Amino acid sequence: MEIRVPDDGGDELTLISFNGRKYPMFPATALETLPSVEMRSDDILVCAFPKSGTHWIWEMTRLLVAGKLDRDDISKGTAMMEFINEDEYKDLPSPRVLNTHLLFRELPKQVKEKKPRILYVTRNPKDVTVSFYNFVKKLPMFYKYSGEWKNFVRPSLEGRFDYGSWFDYVKDWEEVKKTTDVPILTLNYEDMKEDVFREVKKIRDFLGTDRSDEFVKEVCDHCSFGSMKDIKANFSEIVYRKGEIGDWKNWFTVAQNEWFDKLYEEKMKDCPLTFRYTLK
Ligand code: A3P
């Protein structure tokens, strides 16, 4: 069902509501049929809250698995489970590299049985919120939103928009990691920015792909921000905005920052997760 959700200034985002959760304006059929999607044990799932670096990790994983580089303007949307119908990815050769912003419990039922490998990606919530605001503004056909940053921050971090609250998302995954036997490798955007080669070697080892350090290095270089912005021409302006740590400083006012710190303390009091907001 289509809904319009107001920000703090009354400007509205157009979203869909499905099973009590909010999503972007995706065709509802993918969400409806998702629980019964057939999984394979060699599937690889990139799971991240929106704007955490999903495109980056998905592309590097896709190339690692392929074992060769390409300059195809292929989008991660072609393997996004809540966006496209199963028909569009069911015949892809193994191992399939799929991606989603859903919670673990929203994934296909067969995930628990087939145990695909999950690459779970996090990013500091201030930069996520800035990235999300800019993304929403660049898709007027989709979100139909023309609001201002000052009215966006609070409802966004309080979870009123699509995919809900960043806090709920990361806390849920922390709980899942304690209990599930589905293999999960946690990656972090700030760590990737600090040393992408180190982090992609972790992906290679976790996936057990037999790729040399030299090839891993080539993948990292090939997927630098500038290179992906160039190759992915269709989404260049929408997705590949700045690719930095700490752009939030150009957006958050002192008051917003103080409000955020209090919110973080309150929401994360039982969760020891910490994030880096600058790269020293
Ligand atoms: P910014 O808006 O801060 O620039 P997602 O892929 O989950 O939608 O996340 C998008 C964010 O990841 C954007 O952040 C985008 O610029 C950044 N990003 C995409 N590719 C990147 C890359 N190769 N290196 C660094 N950041 C990248």
Side-chain angles (χ1 to χ4, degrees):
M1 185 188 45
E2 192 175 310
I3 53 168
R4 300 203 37 94
V5 183
D7 68 8
D8 279 351
D11 285 296
E12 295 175 324
L13 268 82
T14 302
L15 304 172
I16 61 164
S17 167
F18 180 77
N19 281 348
R21 298 254 299 151
K22 292 171 197 143
Y23 303 94
M25 292 271 289
F26 293 154
T29 47
L31 282 163
E32 274 159 17
T33 52
L34 202 99
S36 58
V37 158
E38 278 190 38
M39 298 299 298
R40 302 180 200 156
S41 54
D42 59 4
D43 281 337
I44 300 162
L45 273 180
V46 178
C47 297
F49 193 77
K51 314 326 289 172
S52 300
T54 329
H55 289 76
W56 191 14
I57 306 271
W58 183 79
E59 182 71 358
M60 292 199 291
T61 306
R62 182 180 77 78
L63 296 176
L64 259 187
V65 163
K68 59 180 168 38
L69 305 180
D70 63 55
R71 292 185 62 85
D72 298 346
D73 186 3
I74 166 174
S75 155
K76 80 157 185 70
T78 58
M80 184 177 182
M81 299 184 82
E82 65 270 38
F83 178 47
I84 53 168
N85 288 318
E86 184 182 10
D87 278 359
E88 296 184 50
Y89 56 87
K90 85 173 185 330
D91 295 326
L92 289 177
S94 280
R96 299 181 298 185
V97 185
L98 306 170
N99 66 82
T100 176
H101 301 311
L102 297 177
L103 293 164
F104 185 78
R105 63 172 173 272
E106 297 174 306
L107 298 178
K109 288 190 172 54
Q110 278 198 352
V111 163
K112 286 186 181 147
E113 179 197 323
K114 300 282 179 170
K115 303 188 194 356
R117 277 153 303 172
I118 292 181
L119 302 173
Y120 165 62
V121 192
T122 63
R123 185 183 189 188
N124 86 66
K126 292 190 210 177
D127 281 331
V128 163
T129 308
V130 170
S131 184
F132 183 38
Y133 173 74
N134 282 282
F135 181 74
V136 165
K137 291 286 291 243
K138 280 181 199 155
L139 287 169
M141 306 295 285
F142 214 46
Y143 285 103
K144 304 179 181 122
Y145 178 66
S146 55
E148 292 175 62
W149 166 251
K150 67 174 192 249
N151 296 321
F152 182 89
V153 186
R154 199 172 68 94
S156 178
L157 278 158
E158 287 181 353
R160 295 221 307 260
F161 301 147
D162 38 339
Y163 293 104
S165 154
W166 175 92
F167 295 102
D168 293 344
Y169 183 88
V170 296
K171 285 195 289 186
D172 196 74
W173 276 95
E174 287 312 300
E175 287 308 309
V176 167
K177 284 194 277 177
K178 284 183 201 158
T179 50
T180 188
D181 58 357
V182 176
I184 302 176
L185 175 69
T186 302
L187 298 156
N188 167 261
Y189 185 89
E190 289 76 34
D191 290 346
M192 306 278 294
K193 286 293 292 183
E194 182 181 67
D195 188 343
V196 65
F197 181 51
R198 178 190 68 205
E199 298 304 309
V200 179
K201 279 192 288 183
K202 286 185 197 165
I203 301 178
R204 173 197 63 189
D205 297 344
F206 175 72
L207 299 180
T209 42
D210 183 19
R211 306 285 176 242
S212 66
D213 282 2
E214 288 68 32
F215 183 69
V216 171
K217 181 83 179 58
E218 282 174 33
V219 168
C220 294
D221 294 345
H222 191 78
C223 296
S224 70
F225 178 78
S227 166
M228 280 188 73
K229 191 176 172 73
D230 188 34
I231 295 170
K232 308 291 175 188
N234 277 329
F235 289 94
S236 186
E237 291 312 314
I238 296 169
V239 174
Y240 304 92
R241 189 184 64 91
K242 275 206 163 175
E244 289 172 5
I245 305 173
D247 188 41
W248 63 269
K249 288 180 196 160
N250 299 316
W251 293 82
F252 276 71
T253 62
V254 172
Q256 283 171 337
N257 204 31
E258 283 170 6
W259 171 83
F260 171 86
D261 287 344
K262 280 203 198 86
L263 183 73
Y264 193 97
E265 211 180 296
E266 177 197 316
K267 295 271 188 195
M268 301 295 273
K269 62 178 180 302
D270 300 322
C271 181
L273 269 188
T274 54
F275 288 85
R276 290 189 290 172
Y277 295 91
T278 49
L279 192 58
K280 293 197 181 79

